[in-house]
Amino acid sequence: MAHPQRANTGLIAAIVAVATIGGLLFGYDSGAVNGTQPGLKAAFALSEGGLGFTVGSLLIGCFVGAFLAGRLADVMGRRKVMMLAALFFLAGALVQGSAHEQ
């Protein structure tokens, strides 16, 4: 008599944990963006509409980036995409570090 396939609960738990942490971090980032609104508004002389567009664009950009990273990982492999993301992060950090106030 054939045994029914058993679910790999360890794998399922790991997938659920990663998805949960991803959702938590996305929510945390949304909250962090909310904390930057006064600074964004002052630094770029934004109106209320401009501020809303800026904050909305940041969150939509996060969504699009996550979607494209998944598709890119399917093509290139996860490890290469993570190395590419690390290089972009390093380049962005260097640009921000070299920027100065006028």
Side-chain angles (χ1 to χ4, degrees):
M1 180 173 174
H3 295 290
Q5 264 189 329
R6 294 178 49 203
N8 185 347
T9 55
L11 177 63
I12 292 171
I15 291 170
V16 168
V18 168
T20 302
I21 291 170
L24 176 74
L25 289 176
F26 191 79
Y28 178 79
D29 289 343
S30 298
V33 167
N34 287 334
T36 65
Q37 288 182 16
L40 285 171
K41 193 171 182 181
F44 298 106
L46 295 174
S47 66
E48 290 297 321
L51 180 63
F53 179 78
T54 302
V55 171
S57 297
L58 290 171
L59 296 177
I60 291 170
C62 290
F63 166 76
V64 171
F67 179 78
L68 292 178
R71 298 291 179 222
L72 197 58
D74 289 342
V75 174
M76 294 176 56
R78 289 176 308 187
R79 188 171 290 164
K80 288 181 182 178
V81 171
M82 289 180 70
M83 287 190 283
L84 183 63
L87 288 173
F88 281 136
F89 185 83
L90 177 64
L94 291 173
V95 168
Q96 291 177 20
S98 66
H100 61 289
E101 259 185 71
Q102 294 177 343

